[in-house]
Amino acid sequence: MRMGLAIDASCDLPQDFLLQNNIAVMPIAVRVDSSTFKDNRDPAEIERFLGLKLGSRSHSAETEPCSVEDVQKLFLEKLVLENDCVFCLTITATRSPIYDNVVKASFAVLKHYRQVREPAGITGPFLMRVLDTRSLFTGSAPCVVEAVRLMQANETPAAIRERLAYIAENSYGYMLPRDLYYLRARAKKKGDRSVGLFSAVLGSTLDIKPLLRGYRGETSPVGKVRGWEHGCETLFHYAADRVRAGLLVPVMCTAYGGDLAELPKLPGFAKLAQACDECGVTLMQAPMSITGMVNVGEGAVTIGFAAEEHAVDF
């Protein structure tokens, strides 16, 4: 059985990993002032966004998640011809309509795929499995990495689905935002009250940054740190501790909302890299998606991993 993967653009993984494993990306349209971007994790498009310096709080932006029709087109024109089973992994349904759109699209895909496959001489059924990763940004990445491993091991679709559901339930995504005013402005625009004005003003005045977590469909602050550099060090130190404690998927995913060359230079990153090297854990580095930067501001740092439930103490 030929199996494939599809993710939405907000899942932060390195481009070479996506290309190497033939992972399809469901794009997100982003409009900032008079500029339009196709957020499909193309490094050139991310570089164009950064080069135009559109990430400041003075710019308004609109994002349009991959629609039901777009998903149907991607599958019926391409993926049903290349695969017999495709797993679609999306950002948590509590933060985006992408999951619901893909589920709706799956009904039409499963209804019409034979009309596409049979003229091409492809017999047999086509399976489409949609999974909510229950996290966001790098927090969605462990599910994708584990899916690749399971497919390469020729596991059955049923076994893969069961394992990915378990990983999704135990995936953690953490973010350290740089600009609280920007984060609050975007949250307010989307009707999200998780970052209040008082907190933003107080945080910016005293240089206090929240550490935000995406876990089991919920996103909330789980700690506060004073100063940007101290925040990076705290986050990476915590990530190194989790690596040494043991991960469910041997990968630690990191992302940065800016020039990726700056990520390894951040305080604490070297110690995280050392811990990963000592424990045989792959340390991935990826640029944050354009969608991510539009919604949380440039300069944000994120980490993602899968681990057994544990207490968090920042």
Side-chain angles (χ1 to χ4, degrees):
M1 176 178 285
R2 300 172 302 165
M3 288 196 279
L5 277 172
I7 64 171
D8 68 75
S10 68
C11 178
D12 292 331
L13 278 164
Q15 182 73 356
D16 58 354
F17 177 83
L18 301 179
L19 294 175
Q20 180 182 350
N21 294 288
N22 197 29
I23 298 174
V25 178
M26 296 177 285
I28 299 171
V30 180
R31 294 179 177 83
V32 187
D33 294 346
S34 59
S35 300
T36 301
F37 301 87
K38 182 181 180 181
D39 187 6
N40 60 357
R41 302 215 54 80
D42 180 356
E45 193 75 341
I46 295 174
E47 185 176 345
R48 183 169 76 93
F49 174 82
L50 293 171
L52 291 173
K53 301 187 183 301
L54 297 175
S56 72
R57 72 173 71 95
S58 62
H59 293 278
S60 60
E62 297 292 340
T63 59
E64 294 182 8
C66 201
S67 67
V68 174
E69 293 72 23
D70 289 337
V71 176
Q72 290 176 8
K73 183 177 180 181
L74 173 64
F75 272 80
L76 293 176
E77 293 185 1
K78 177 178 171 64
L79 297 184
V80 301
L81 295 172
E82 299 176 351
N83 305 277
D84 301 312
C85 175
V86 174
F87 280 84
C88 298
L89 309 182
T90 76
I91 184 176
T92 177
T94 59
R95 306 297 297 188
S96 169
I98 292 177
Y99 173 79
D100 290 336
N101 288 353
V102 177
V103 169
K104 292 175 183 176
S106 69
F107 298 135
V109 171
L110 295 176
K111 181 179 180 180
H112 298 294
Y113 75 82
R114 293 186 187 277
Q115 301 169 19
V116 178
R117 283 163 62 94
E118 289 178 358
I122 304 173
T123 59
F126 174 80
L127 304 178
M128 182 175 174
R129 299 291 183 259
V130 187
L131 182 77
D132 177 354
T133 65
R134 307 200 70 190
S135 192
L136 64 169
F137 306 142
T138 48
S140 297
C143 272
V144 182
V145 175
E146 183 69 351
V148 168
R149 184 190 70 81
L150 293 168
M151 289 177 181
Q152 291 176 346
N154 294 318
E155 295 287 351
T156 65
I160 294 174
R161 184 185 183 96
E162 182 179 359
R163 174 64 177 174
L164 294 186
Y166 176 73
I167 297 300
E169 188 74 5
N170 293 282
S171 289
Y172 294 78
Y174 286 88
M175 180 181 72
L176 175 68
R178 189 184 287 272
D179 188 338
L180 288 184
Y181 278 111
Y182 184 98
L183 184 61
R184 179 192 176 274
R186 286 298 300 172
K188 183 179 180 182
K189 182 178 179 65
K190 299 182 72 174
D192 184 348
R193 298 179 179 274
S194 59
V195 182
L197 176 60
F198 178 76
S199 296
V201 172
L202 180 64
S204 297
T205 301
L206 302 178
D207 199 20
I208 294 175
K209 309 291 185 183
L211 286 168
L212 307 175
R213 183 181 72 177
Y215 175 61
R216 294 182 178 175
E218 296 185 2
T219 53
S220 60
V222 291
K224 293 181 180 180
V225 291
R226 185 182 295 275
W228 167 253
E229 293 190 349
H230 176 59
C232 291
E233 196 166 17
T234 300
L235 185 62
F236 291 137
H237 183 271
Y238 163 74
D241 285 345
R242 297 325 309 166
V243 167
R244 293 190 176 95
L247 302 176
L248 294 174
V249 181
V251 62
M252 176 63 67
C253 305
T254 62
Y256 181 63
D259 183 355
L260 192 58
E262 298 300 314
L263 179 59
K265 302 175 185 177
L266 296 178
F269 190 90
K271 291 184 178 180
L272 171 58
Q274 180 181 356
C276 289
D277 185 59
E278 292 172 353
C279 297
V281 168
T282 300
L283 178 58
M284 289 185 169
Q285 302 175 46
M288 178 176 277
S289 67
I290 297 173
T291 303
M293 287 188 278
V294 162
N295 282 303
V296 304
E298 288 186 28
V301 174
T302 69
I303 62 169
F305 59 89
E308 297 289 358
E309 188 172 357
H310 56 275
V312 179
D313 184 19
F314 287 116

